[in-house]
Amino acid sequence: MMKLFIKFGLVLLTISLCHAQQQCPLIPAPMHAGYTEDVFKLNRQTALFVDEEHLKNVGRYLQQELLRLKGFPLMAKSSLDQQSSIRLKLDEQLAEEAYELNIAQDGIIISGGSAAGVFNGASSLVQLISQVESMAEAVLPVPCWTIKDEPRYGWRGLMLDESRYFIGKQKLLSIIDWMAFYKLNKLHWHLTDEPAWRLEIKKYPRLALVGGVGDQHDKTKPAAFYTQQEISEIVDYASKRNIEIIPEIDMPGHATAANRAYPAYSGGGSEQYPEFTFDPGNPETYTYLTNILREANALFPSNMLHLGGDEVSFGNDSWLQNAGVKRLMHDHRLKDLKAVENYFMERMADSVYQMHAKLLVWDEMADINLPKDKTVIFWWRHDKPQQLYQSLKKGYETVLCPRLPFYFDFVQDSSHQAGRKWGGLYSPLQDVYHFDADTWVKDDKQRQQVLGLQANLWTETVTNNQRVDYLLFPRLAALAESAWSADAVKSYAQFEERLKRHLKLYRQHDVYFYNPFHPNEIPEPVYFKKDKKDLNAEEN
């Protein structure tokens, strides 16, 4: 009887192992994945063939990533021959970002409905190859998978706040690489706020030279900002990885750094938030800001400009004593400061639309009337669902980024002290993974207005790039699956199993991550501890 139990146990173990081996290791989980026990032997004679001229950037990405992750130089060829090869091609029957990846013994074919779809297939191949252990010198045995996949949402975003902490070009490019690895496709770049201004504007050089001084923790740090040449290089780098970059120039609040550089356009502030606003009562303010936006729009081909529009009431007390604002209120019959705020944004929105760009704003702006086909609302206040419903009711396209669970500056473990909480609540990995837009949006028509999901990394508690990593990883992987994968293929238990392999990749590439399986494995990176009241505050 004991032998029978042992034999039965071995059979179950074998079945379990086979089942585990057949779980597709990709994050995010694909829609359909079939596995065989064959392998494609990737070697130095393997050729890369690209069918279309505009797929060459995808081919270059594949070459660069295999070299970066595995030290493997893939050879590009101009014609398809009989030897083993990787082929990239378009398939008009597939949706724009959909792809098919077929890995067979004699070759690999990646098909996509567009260059973006082919890129997504290449990203999946990069992930599969990154987890392969070489069995012989210069040979990578790639498991044979047949994958058919497409994203749930077209907007799969990450916002980085560089005003409060300057991440810098090298680290930023690394984050872009990981975004591409996980098929995230929108980088919302928060470049201006109270602590510092991080974008070179040729017409107003003091914005960067003076406004770029300091950060959240040290007001005396030398000026740090991105030159326009660096911006162009970063935008190009991201574009080749199917990532659009959207700049945020915050207004009319969070303008402290800009006002330090050009005080003539300051609208003042409050006791707690001095020089917090631009001056809506000064006609020259609108010319000044429009000139800034023209340069920004020329630098970022996404044709999207995020103007913030949040938390203006924190520092607009001085508007009540501003003669220009009083005239504005009288001339345009504006009953209160909220009406002044709305007037300001509507006027700046006109400037954006004249540049043939879309206006992006936080959910405070859902209250005003803007063209619904030219405006995108970002719902961030999880405790104010009425702002989400207001946005959808008015017909605005909307991105969901509620602070719980998508503010990545919130701690991810109850024991963590260095970070923010909301009434004791925080943003653990499983909450990021399990976020379901359908919980909030139940109307089928309104679901079509939800562009997708985004996580926001505010950097009040960041003083080094280790902490940037610690807040992003592995929640970035959970965000990717939440935004990409259909409910039918999602399983948190399976995600955890796949994630264990990715933690190994993080170690290999010096990513300072939080380990949800062994929370005390790596201590929290140190930062300058602020008053807990500040850390738990509502503001961005």
Side-chain angles (χ1 to χ4, degrees):
M1 181 64 73
M2 181 59 70
K3 289 182 179 180
L4 183 62
F5 276 122
I6 292 173
K7 185 176 181 180
F8 182 66
L10 288 173
V11 170
L12 286 178
L13 178 61
T14 302
I15 293 173
S16 175
L17 288 172
C18 289
H19 178 72
Q21 289 170 353
Q22 292 178 25
Q23 291 296 328
C24 186
L26 290 177
I27 297 175
M31 189 174 292
H32 303 286
Y35 172 78
T36 70
E37 294 184 357
D38 296 326
V39 297
F40 172 78
K41 294 180 180 177
L42 183 66
N43 57 51
R44 294 183 184 275
Q45 282 69 51
T46 300
L48 172 64
F49 175 71
V50 179
D51 275 19
E52 305 278 346
E53 179 70 24
H54 67 283
L55 296 181
K56 285 194 172 180
N57 281 339
V58 182
R60 288 291 295 156
Y61 166 77
L62 199 51
Q63 287 179 296
Q64 291 168 3
E65 286 302 280
L66 292 190
L67 192 60
R68 180 177 74 90
L69 295 169
K70 303 301 278 188
F72 195 93
L74 189 63
M75 179 174 56
K77 282 200 171 184
S78 58
S79 60
L80 191 62
D81 53 31
Q82 297 301 312
Q83 69 180 22
S84 67
S85 64
I86 300 174
R87 182 183 181 188
L88 309 181
K89 68 187 190 75
L90 294 175
D91 184 342
E92 294 179 355
Q93 296 185 15
L94 295 174
E96 184 178 358
E97 279 204 90
Y99 72 90
E100 293 184 2
L101 170 60
N102 293 292
I103 306 174
Q105 279 183 297
D106 58 350
I108 298 174
I109 299 176
I110 302 174
S111 308
S114 67
V118 177
F119 179 88
N120 290 329
S123 175
S124 288
L125 180 61
V126 165
Q127 265 203 44
L128 292 171
I129 291 175
S130 71
Q131 299 178 52
V132 171
E133 299 292 340
S134 180
M135 296 177 64
E137 186 176 355
V139 175
L140 290 172
V142 184
C144 288
W145 287 93
T146 299
I147 295 171
K148 297 181 180 181
D149 200 11
E150 63 181 288
R152 180 175 187 173
Y153 293 112
W155 190 291
R156 306 178 300 279
L158 174 67
M159 191 223 73
L160 292 175
D161 167 20
E162 290 219 51
S163 174
R164 293 173 176 86
Y165 171 75
F166 186 73
I167 294 171
K169 180 180 175 182
Q170 183 178 357
K171 184 62 179 177
L172 180 62
L173 294 181
S174 173
I175 292 171
I176 289 171
D177 283 335
W178 284 106
M179 288 179 66
F181 191 79
Y182 288 125
K183 303 185 184 71
L184 298 172
N185 65 348
K186 307 291 182 188
L187 176 58
H188 171 178
W189 206 2
H190 190 82
L191 290 165
T192 75
D193 211 304
E194 297 166 70
W197 182 285
R198 305 300 188 189
L199 170 65
E200 179 190 24
I201 298 296
K202 298 285 189 181
K203 190 172 181 65
Y204 306 107
R206 288 174 58 85
L207 283 171
L209 296 174
V210 176
V213 173
D215 67 9
Q216 182 76 15
H217 300 292
D218 184 353
K219 294 181 179 180
T220 66
K221 271 188 179 180
F225 58 90
Y226 292 96
T227 66
Q228 293 197 358
Q229 177 62 36
E230 288 173 323
I231 294 286
S232 296
E233 292 168 2
I234 292 166
V235 166
D236 182 63
Y237 189 88
S239 175
K240 290 174 179 175
R241 285 152 180 77
N242 193 39
I243 295 170
E244 281 190 313
I245 302 184
I246 300 97
E248 181 176 355
I249 312 296
D250 216 337
M251 60 182 74
H254 294 283
T256 312
N259 291 337
R260 191 165 67 240
Y262 291 95
Y265 307 108
S266 174
S270 61
E271 182 177 354
Q272 188 174 357
Y273 298 93
E275 305 305 325
F276 186 74
T277 65
F278 291 115
D279 184 358
N282 179 0
E284 294 301 314
T285 298
Y286 301 96
T287 303
Y288 165 67
L289 293 175
T290 297
N291 289 335
I292 291 170
L293 294 180
R294 283 186 181 133
E295 289 197 33
N297 193 51
L299 289 169
F300 294 92
S302 62
N303 288 321
M304 291 183 277
L305 295 170
H306 201 302
L307 301 194
D310 61 313
E311 302 176 332
V312 182
S313 62
F314 285 9
N316 64 357
D317 295 358
S318 54
W319 288 2
L320 292 169
Q321 286 77 47
N322 184 312
V325 172
K326 290 178 180 179
R327 277 195 306 273
L328 186 72
M329 294 178 74
H330 176 268
D331 292 347
H332 294 273
R333 299 180 181 179
L334 306 177
K335 64 178 182 178
D336 53 25
L337 294 187
K338 181 62 177 174
V340 173
E341 178 186 331
N342 292 350
Y343 170 88
F344 173 96
M345 190 57 72
E346 288 170 355
R347 188 162 170 177
M348 290 311 305
D350 285 341
S351 294
V352 172
Y353 301 144
Q354 287 173 13
M355 298 174 204
H356 305 288
K358 274 196 171 183
L359 172 71
L360 282 56
V361 285
W362 299 111
D363 66 41
E364 285 90 335
M365 292 294 105
D367 296 328
I368 67 178
N369 293 314
L370 296 167
K372 64 182 181 182
D373 59 330
K374 299 178 183 178
T375 308
V376 179
I377 304 291
F378 285 64
W379 176 59
W380 67 277
R381 292 181 290 177
H382 73 281
D383 58 323
K384 295 186 182 295
Q386 66 271 21
Q387 293 303 108
L388 169 61
Y389 303 138
Q390 175 86 318
S391 173
L392 296 172
K393 183 179 179 180
K394 287 187 171 184
Y396 292 127
E397 292 182 318
T398 305
V399 175
L400 308 186
C401 50
R403 64 163 83 79
L404 291 178
F406 286 145
Y407 269 31
F408 282 2
D409 52 314
F410 278 54
V411 300
Q412 50 195 321
D413 187 284
S414 60
S415 65
H416 290 176
Q417 298 301 312
R420 298 167 63 198
K421 294 181 182 178
W422 182 270
L425 300 176
Y426 51 98
S427 298
L429 184 70
Q430 57 267 38
D431 285 5
V432 176
Y433 184 88
H434 285 304
F435 180 82
D436 185 0
D438 289 349
T439 301
W440 298 92
V441 185
K442 301 185 184 299
D443 180 272
D444 287 339
K445 181 181 178 182
Q446 291 184 346
R447 282 195 185 105
Q448 301 303 311
Q449 296 167 226
V450 175
L451 295 181
L453 311 181
Q454 177 174 294
N456 299 334
L457 178 57
W458 302 100
T459 52
E460 288 98 332
T461 66
V462 174
T463 57
N464 55 63
N465 282 335
Q466 277 191 335
R467 181 152 183 82
V468 172
D469 281 351
Y470 195 79
L471 295 172
L472 286 178
F473 296 93
R475 289 188 289 194
L476 200 68
L479 167 70
E481 190 146 321
S482 185
W484 177 284
S485 300
D487 288 339
V489 299
K490 287 180 66 178
S491 162
Y492 188 69
Q494 291 179 11
F495 170 77
E496 285 188 313
E497 289 304 309
R498 284 177 280 130
L499 183 61
K500 289 174 183 177
R501 298 188 185 188
H502 288 241
L503 299 189
K504 183 177 181 181
L505 294 177
Y506 299 162
R507 289 191 183 95
Q508 291 171 355
H509 296 281
D510 297 321
V511 173
Y512 194 96
F513 64 94
Y514 166 70
N515 189 337
F517 307 105
H518 301 286
N520 297 320
E521 177 185 306
I522 301 176
E524 265 191 285
V526 175
Y527 83 107
F528 179 81
K529 290 193 175 182
K530 296 168 61 182
D531 189 305
K532 280 190 177 182
K533 178 182 177 183
D534 292 331
L535 294 180
N536 294 331
E538 177 181 348
E539 69 267 25
N540 288 358

